[in-house]
Amino acid sequence: AKECISNRTCSDGVIKTSHGKVWYIRCSPILDPETHEITSVLEFRRDITENYRLNQDLKKSEEKYRNIVETAREGIWEVDPFGETLYVNDRMARMLGFTLEEMKNVKLKELLEGAHTSNGIRNDRYPFNDTSVDFLLRRKNGSILNALINQNPVFNDAGDCIGVLYM
């Protein structure tokens, strides 16, 4: 409320109490229409304790899993249905001889160009089924990486395949 009065504008913020409650507070000055002086302050409070705790738990969980993915010894690569890179971890980039920055522009098809699976099947399409495939991928330097890849389709809420996660 002090900030609201001193700045003569609305202000908002989050306050944590010593009892563990978390409140969202928004203050608005009420001005006298003739003198434009502040006559009172309207304060809106909402208990957001549960949402705040859920968000904190979600952040911890995201941080935990991001750490697992970033430090995994396996390469992890997510592409959209067109083979455009959505995400790649550092290990996958290094296995293919690229930097993380370079991998943002790498398409899966570029690395499969002229490459085959070790069982001789040509990979021109991206099968969206949950399976393991022995792929031959072309590294940045042109050498071939023979990799057993687990591919898992990623679906949206409507059940449409929106990408594939390779590990």
Side-chain angles (χ1 to χ4, degrees):
K2 290 179 184 178
E3 184 179 319
C4 176
I5 293 170
S6 63
N7 295 337
R8 301 177 53 91
T9 61
C10 295
S11 63
D12 63 347
V14 174
I15 295 176
K16 299 176 198 173
T17 70
S18 59
H19 303 294
K21 289 284 194 181
V22 182
W23 294 89
Y24 167 75
I25 300 177
R26 180 170 179 84
C27 298
S28 299
I30 307 297
L31 303 177
D32 181 288
E34 293 176 11
T35 65
H36 301 289
E37 294 295 318
I38 297 175
T39 58
S40 57
V41 174
L42 177 64
E43 185 175 280
F44 167 79
R45 291 179 181 224
R46 182 173 174 207
D47 183 351
I48 60 167
T49 305
E50 186 63 25
N51 284 346
Y52 183 83
R53 287 188 182 137
L54 288 172
N55 280 333
Q56 292 301 324
D57 290 346
L58 180 61
K59 284 179 185 177
K60 286 178 187 174
S61 178
E62 287 174 344
E63 188 175 305
K64 175 184 174 181
Y65 286 101
R66 183 176 21 259
N67 188 42
I68 290 170
V69 168
E70 293 299 325
T71 60
R73 295 187 53 84
E74 294 80 22
I76 299 173
W77 191 3
E78 184 179 12
V79 298
D80 69 11
F82 305 102
E84 302 274 343
T85 297
L86 297 174
Y87 172 81
V88 65
N89 70 347
D90 184 60
R91 177 72 173 156
M92 186 79 233
R94 285 188 291 125
M95 287 169 61
L96 295 169
F98 292 94
T99 65
L100 283 174
E101 190 64 31
E102 290 171 323
M103 283 296 294
K104 291 178 184 177
N105 300 313
V106 172
K107 296 180 184 175
L108 178 60
K109 188 173 183 178
E110 293 170 359
L111 301 184
L112 295 174
E113 208 67 51
H116 299 70
T117 60
S118 62
N119 62 7
I121 299 171
R122 177 88 182 167
N123 292 294
D124 290 327
R125 294 189 358 223
Y126 312 112
F128 296 131
N129 55 349
D130 184 358
T131 186
S132 294
V133 179
D134 197 5
F135 272 107
L136 300 177
L137 297 169
R138 191 168 309 283
R139 291 186 178 111
K140 181 180 175 182
N141 68 7
S143 66
I144 298 295
L145 170 68
N146 187 354
L148 177 63
I149 297 177
N150 294 310
Q151 59 185 21
N152 297 289
V154 179
F155 298 98
N156 64 14
D157 292 337
D160 302 317
C161 184
I162 56 171
V164 180
L165 182 63
Y166 295 99
M167 299 187 341

